[in-house]
Amino acid sequence: MKRVHVVVRGEVQGVGYRYTMRMVARDAGVSGWVRNRRDGSVEAEIEGTPEQVDEVVAWMAEGPPGSHVREASVTDAAPTGSRGFDVLPTE
């Protein structure tokens, strides 16, 4: 299993990014979470097979229609064995 922490910057709040990402993540079969950050970015952790994680990270770099992703930083994280994918409150 692979887990990554991702921070996406640009025009990514107020465009349905988190809720669309939840659908993309569930369709890909990954677990984890996504949330807005007070600085205007979106933060997520994604866990699954390397292929599943790469699929979701690739989507995050594009985002939903109406968004404009300027930067996506990805760092490795320790797998937790979590289940499901949630939208968390803003941090």
Side-chain angles (χ1 to χ4, degrees):
M1 295 303 276
K2 175 180 179 179
R3 187 176 188 93
V4 295
H5 179 260
V6 184
V7 177
V8 178
R9 292 179 175 81
E11 295 172 28
V12 293
Q13 290 190 11
V15 293
Y17 194 104
R18 293 172 300 151
Y19 293 97
T20 305
M21 183 175 168
R22 180 174 58 186
M23 291 187 307
V24 169
R26 288 180 175 173
D27 287 348
V30 299
S31 61
W33 52 266
V34 62
R35 67 179 164 203
N36 283 343
R37 291 172 42 167
R38 295 193 199 293
D39 67 0
S41 64
V42 171
E43 174 183 35
E45 287 204 1
I46 307 156
E47 183 171 334
T49 67
E51 295 81 13
Q52 290 170 315
V53 170
D54 291 347
E55 176 184 340
V56 176
V57 169
W59 179 88
M60 290 183 75
E62 295 295 320
S67 70
H68 176 71
V69 177
R70 187 177 67 245
E71 174 189 358
S73 61
V74 181
T75 56
D76 291 331
T80 65
S82 67
R83 303 262 186 231
F85 196 90
D86 298 311
V87 175
L88 300 180
T90 300
E91 177 188 273

